[in-house]
Amino acid sequence: MYQYNDFDRKFVKERVDQFKDQTHRFLDGQLSEGEFLPLRLQNGLYIQRMAPLLRIAIPYGTLSSKQARKLAEISRKYDKGYGHISTRQNFQLNWPALEDVPKILGELAEVEMHGIQTSGSCVRSITADPFSGVAQDEIEDARPYAELLRQWSTLHPEFAYLPRKFKIAVSGSTKDRAAVHFHDIGVIMAKDENGETGFEVLVGGGLGRTPVIGTSIRRFLPKQHLLTYVEAILRIYNQLGRRDNKYKARIKILVRALGAEKFTAMVEEEWQHLKDNPSTLTEAEIKRVSAFFEPPAYKQNADITKPSQLDENKEFSRWYLNNTKAHKQAGYRSVVISLKPTGMPPGDVSDYQMEQLADLADHFSFGELRTTKEQNIVLPDVEKSQLFEVWQVLTDNGLATANIGTINDITCCPGGDYCSLANAKSIPVAEDIQRIYDSPKTLEQIGAVDLKVSGCMNACGHHHIGHIGILGVDKKGKEFYQVSLGGGVGTDAAVAKILGPSFSQAEVAGVVKKITDLYLEQKIQDENFIDTYNRIGIEPFKEKIYAKAH
Amino acid sequence: MPKLIKNDQISADNWLLVEGSEENQTIPEGDVIVPLTLFLAQQETLLASSSNTGVWLDSSESPELIADQLQNIDMIAINFPAFTDGRGFSYAQILRGRMNFTGELRAFGDFGIDQMFFLKRCGFDSYLLPDDKDPAGAIAALSSFTDTYQTAQDQPVPAFRRSI
């Protein structure tokens, strides 16, 4: 993974000093709340319902075991012994004290971490496919480009006060695991007719209160132009994005208002002024950054047969099937560790668990971990023959829940329990649903279902792109939940459709049960939930759920 | 009174900032910074006078609107109606980077210590610091960071092209 050089280290240290001074000036009364707000946000600090929330960047979800141990230590020392993986692959602390934050950032800097641009109206921490570099289907590793974008966007002087937040995601594969269609800018690795690699560029996708699928404004951008092209897009947005209404300030609204064609023309024109300037990537630089992401020293003769314990151990077998993924390197698998055991807030991880995961990474996965937008943690490079041992350690630490990709692998924002923006709680709803599907057999029967819960229309739980999406809404001071169906990412990118009138918290799990019951009744052969839905449409689901009792 | 920071120190301000949007208002004597509407309406008078001419742009006024007249303008001031309104940063980059404007480029309005470094990087070289802001802090903030990753007006070469 990327290693800081002296330049990076000095830069982050100066950022820590800067924020220390800003916090001091705020506590001293020299800075007003309003003036301090964007400064603390751009260092990851929100003031929440109970306490501040500190969002720590995990750039494109890549984390070393050393960094994971530091996160564990910080969770223990400055918080309540746990943290939370966000849907943008970052790490959140729910209870740090404001005056401790500069100290925390100082400690993070020791392990090359920070909270830079994890919130606020700026270019946010870059996200990418968590299986970058190990997925069988990728054209090229997305991480070097995500890192180049990270460096370029870090404290970019022109784009620190944008109309609104700005999210960029990178995918190295057309099988999109980074939701590139739902970002302000999504870049997908592509090849031109000569076999050269570059990017397709999507703009104006997003979730939130107006979900939009991004528009492709360039089918192929040669890779050396990545930074100047992104700069052109941001320059147009910074000048023309609406600033009078925060709900209409995202770039998706601008693209819609101008029309994709006009917007594209403006970007291309702006780019003509920037193209080939010194920000153009050099072969040497691409090579230098790519070198940090070279494959680790895989065993060349790793055992490619399936683990022998699969036949005799049902639980291990179930876990292997759901929680491990195919790997580029023969004899290896990627392991997805579920942070979704029933009854725990989805995405939460304790300090102790984090340390166990760091140890596992050191022993079995070249010291590296990844975080996913589904709020799980990945050990990217585990030898097949060692999977059983890994599973045993995970089992001993409550980390072997075999539900990845199932309906119980729920993506869920912190919701009304923590977040001051939320209209409704989301964690208890997730738990109610998980309790319905309490047997492995039921989970297996229902198969792949992506269920996502957001506590408000800001959509941090990504409910619009869930096969089943649940959104907390406020109706006359009471918490209700709107259910939608059919969302998806990648080649199946779609915004989920609303089923109908909303439900009370007590009703939600029952409604979800009816949805999966109908699927089981209607499915043909091996059809997945989403395929059945796409075939029969939303109507049968509406009928089943809203049918009046006879 | 707002204080002018120029060349990393508090400086005397010889310019008079003219407000108001009346196209036919009388322009005072001396070096003036006039609003865009006034400049466009009374360009000939302004250019005929022996004094220096400055134009100020509001955050909704793109420098494209004066692209053709830049050679006649000695200074441009850009208003920040709210410090969260970052359009002025792009305007400065365009004026300096693409339009090659070499006159004084001044920030005024609502900004403070924590915007100084970015303002400087985008090409501003004078700052009319609001009254309630500490000028010493603002001057110190011009060098908050020793070095930066990306290019801007203060650094035409990105870090990756320099051996650091």
Side-chain angles (χ1 to χ4, degrees):
Chain A
M1 58 185 283
Y2 185 72
Q3 309 278 319
Y4 277 18
N5 56 22
D6 290 346
F7 177 93
D8 300 302
R9 254 187 299 275
K10 192 168 180 198
F11 187 87
V12 171
K13 192 191 165 296
E14 287 176 343
R15 177 63 161 179
V16 171
D17 293 344
Q18 185 193 41
F19 189 61
K20 203 180 285 172
D21 171 62
Q22 288 165 339
T23 307
H24 177 80
R25 279 189 279 132
F26 170 66
L27 294 171
D28 233 30
Q30 294 176 48
L31 276 178
S32 69
E33 289 264 357
E35 287 168 323
F36 186 54
L37 178 82
L39 307 176
R40 64 170 166 77
L41 287 178
Q42 298 205 16
N43 281 290
L45 184 63
Y46 284 83
I47 304 295
Q48 284 294 15
R49 191 159 284 189
M50 313 288 181
L53 177 156
L54 181 65
R55 190 179 288 151
I56 298 162
I58 302 179
Y60 38 93
T62 301
L63 190 68
S64 71
S65 55
K66 190 178 168 193
Q67 293 173 327
R69 282 195 191 90
K70 179 56 88 176
L71 292 178
E73 187 193 324
I74 286 174
S75 312
R76 187 159 49 232
K77 205 157 127 190
Y78 296 104
D79 207 294
K80 297 188 174 182
Y82 66 94
H84 176 80
I85 307 294
S86 80
T87 53
R88 294 201 75 252
Q89 302 177 292
N90 292 321
F91 186 82
Q92 295 181 174
L93 293 172
N94 289 310
W95 314 91
L98 171 65
E99 51 276 20
D100 284 339
V101 170
K103 257 190 292 179
I104 297 173
L105 294 177
E107 290 192 31
L108 286 170
E110 291 167 18
V111 294
E112 310 185 352
M113 296 189 89
H114 53 71
I116 298 174
Q117 289 165 226
T118 53
S119 72
S121 295
C122 56
V123 180
R124 298 289 188 87
S125 174
I126 313 290
T127 58
D129 182 351
F131 297 97
S132 293
V134 299
Q136 286 181 327
D137 53 25
E138 77 183 3
I139 295 172
E140 215 178 289
D141 192 340
R143 290 170 301 169
Y145 302 97
E147 173 59 26
L148 286 161
L149 283 166
R150 181 193 76 79
Q151 296 188 9
W152 166 83
S153 60
T154 298
L155 266 65
H156 196 300
E158 188 178 342
F159 306 128
Y161 295 94
L162 295 172
R164 198 82 169 83
K165 59 189 168 187
F166 200 93
K167 300 175 180 177
I168 303 178
V170 189
S171 172
S173 163
T174 48
K175 185 115 176 77
D176 171 31
R177 285 171 293 259
V180 286
H181 293 84
F182 296 97
H183 280 75
D184 296 286
I185 294 180
V187 292
I188 317 171
M189 195 71 73
K191 276 190 178 183
D192 70 359
E193 58 273 23
N194 303 319
E196 289 293 317
T197 51
F199 304 98
E200 178 178 1
V201 183
L202 307 172
V203 173
L207 299 172
R209 74 180 58 206
T210 320
V212 181
I213 298 177
T215 309
S216 175
I217 65 164
R218 202 167 226 279
R219 290 283 166 201
F220 187 80
L221 178 75
K223 58 187 174 188
Q224 67 269 28
H225 299 306
L226 180 63
L227 303 183
T228 51
Y229 201 79
V230 168
E231 187 151 315
I233 295 169
L234 269 145
R235 185 167 285 172
I236 300 294
Y237 171 58
N238 190 38
Q239 293 178 82
L240 299 180
R242 282 182 66 170
R243 290 174 186 269
D244 59 331
N245 179 343
K246 75 178 229 184
Y247 301 118
K248 295 190 176 347
R250 296 287 290 269
I251 195 172
K252 59 192 171 189
I253 306 293
L254 176 66
V255 174
R256 194 176 268 185
L258 291 171
E261 210 169 309
K262 179 153 187 224
F263 179 81
T264 309
M266 291 176 86
V267 169
E268 290 284 331
E269 197 200 322
E270 183 62 43
W271 186 49
Q272 290 313 311
H273 299 293
L274 303 173
K275 191 173 175 244
D276 298 321
N277 78 14
S279 299
T280 307
L281 292 168
T282 56
E283 272 303 319
E285 174 62 0
I286 293 174
K287 230 175 168 174
R288 181 186 76 88
V289 175
S290 299
F292 290 108
F293 303 97
E294 282 293 306
Y298 293 124
K299 220 185 250 177
Q300 287 313 308
N301 55 350
D303 192 353
I304 56 164
T305 54
K306 284 194 170 174
S308 58
Q309 299 86 349
L310 283 176
D311 297 329
E312 60 224 43
N313 190 322
K314 256 199 176 146
E315 281 179 56
F316 173 60
S317 165
R318 200 174 295 123
W319 176 83
Y320 178 90
L321 208 68
N322 286 332
N323 292 37
T324 75
K325 306 286 166 201
H327 199 286
K328 250 182 187 173
Q329 180 70 23
Y332 284 79
R333 307 273 294 173
S334 294
V335 168
V336 188
I337 291 138
S338 171
L339 300 180
K340 318 288 175 65
T342 298
M344 290 298 292
D348 274 14
V349 56
S350 75
D351 56 336
Y352 182 73
Q353 288 176 325
M354 203 60 158
E355 281 164 351
Q356 294 300 311
L357 292 175
D359 287 350
L360 280 173
D362 279 339
H363 289 126
F364 301 101
S365 191
F366 302 96
E368 191 180 316
L369 305 116
R370 311 276 180 91
T371 51
T372 75
K373 69 176 168 55
E374 290 79 19
Q375 304 171 288
N376 295 310
I377 292 181
V378 173
L379 295 172
D381 306 286
V382 181
E383 230 181 295
K384 270 185 180 174
S385 60
Q386 296 186 314
L387 285 170
F388 187 70
E389 212 180 325
V390 169
W391 175 75
Q392 283 179 313
V393 178
L394 291 174
T395 304
D396 291 345
N397 292 289
L399 289 165
T401 314
N403 62 4
I404 295 302
T406 71
I407 196 164
N408 274 5
D409 182 8
I410 298 175
T411 305
C412 179
C413 70
D417 291 298
Y418 295 100
C419 179
S420 51
L421 301 173
N423 289 322
K425 290 190 175 68
S426 52
I427 295 168
V429 172
E431 181 176 344
D432 286 352
I433 294 167
Q434 286 175 324
R435 294 218 180 271
I436 300 185
Y437 304 100
D438 58 353
S439 89
K441 213 176 153 194
T442 322
L443 277 187
E444 197 177 319
Q445 214 181 1
I446 291 165
V449 179
D450 194 8
L451 192 145
K452 297 182 186 293
V453 188
S454 302
C456 77
M457 57 178 119
N458 288 308
C460 295
H462 296 177
H463 65 279
H464 297 298
I465 52 174
H467 296 157
I468 301 174
I470 294 166
L471 163 68
V473 291
D474 176 272
K475 281 205 325 200
K476 295 180 189 148
K478 281 198 170 154
E479 298 185 1
F480 276 83
Y481 296 85
Q482 198 175 66
V483 176
S484 53
L485 294 178
V489 298
T491 40
D492 304 319
V495 174
K497 279 188 194 152
I498 296 165
L499 191 64
S502 52
F503 306 97
S504 71
Q505 189 181 322
E507 291 170 316
V508 177
V511 169
V512 172
K513 173 81 166 49
K514 280 186 183 169
I515 292 169
T516 56
D517 282 350
L518 183 72
Y519 156 64
L520 293 176
E521 288 162 26
Q522 297 282 333
K523 78 181 254 192
I524 298 173
Q525 292 169 339
D526 291 340
E527 209 171 42
N528 277 335
F529 172 81
I530 192 66
D531 299 326
T532 303
Y533 170 82
N534 285 335
R535 178 171 53 78
I536 68 176
I538 201 166
E539 285 309 319
F541 291 94
K542 281 188 176 173
E543 278 164 34
K544 173 136 187 148
I545 284 154
Y546 296 104
K548 294 258 183 321
H550 293 292
Chain B
M1 276 287 286
K3 291 167 249 359
L4 181 72
I5 295 175
K6 210 176 153 178
N7 302 324
D8 293 358
Q9 56 186 354
I10 300 175
S11 306
D13 189 2
N14 302 320
W15 292 91
L16 179 71
L17 189 91
V18 179
E19 298 194 57
S21 54
E22 280 297 315
E23 287 183 7
N24 50 9
Q25 63 184 303
T26 315
I27 298 171
E29 292 289 310
D31 297 345
V32 286
I33 316 171
V34 297
L36 177 68
T37 44
L38 193 53
F39 174 75
L40 294 175
Q42 300 193 35
Q43 219 178 127
E44 281 168 28
T45 326
L46 277 162
L47 299 180
S49 106
S50 59
S51 308
N52 290 316
T53 304
V55 178
W56 67 267
L57 300 173
D58 211 344
S59 70
S60 58
E61 295 168 339
S62 160
E64 303 282 357
L65 300 168
I66 46 169
D68 298 339
Q69 286 98 333
L70 286 183
Q71 71 281 6
N72 299 323
I73 297 172
D74 302 295
M75 85 97 82
I76 295 173
I78 293 175
N79 183 31
F80 288 80
F83 75 96
T84 48
D85 183 342
R87 282 175 280 192
F89 294 101
S90 283
Y91 295 164
Q93 288 258 63
I94 290 168
L95 278 164
R96 293 286 198 219
R98 185 201 311 164
M99 300 180 175
N100 301 314
F101 178 70
T102 53
E104 181 176 335
L105 188 55
R106 177 178 292 192
F108 74 105
D110 181 23
F111 64 90
I113 292 173
D114 302 292
Q115 288 75 44
M116 293 297 283
F117 184 67
F118 291 151
L119 289 167
K120 181 191 86 173
R121 291 214 67 206
C122 289
F124 287 97
D125 56 5
S126 80
Y127 318 85
L128 200 59
L129 191 71
D131 214 10
D132 58 338
K133 303 288 186 283
D134 166 33
I139 291 167
L142 286 170
S143 45
S144 303
F145 292 85
T146 334
D147 208 340
T148 50
Y149 287 103
Q150 64 294 96
T151 64
Q153 300 312 314
D154 61 335
Q155 175 48 272
V157 185
F160 69 77
R161 281 184 193 257
R162 293 178 271 133
S163 46
I164 42 171

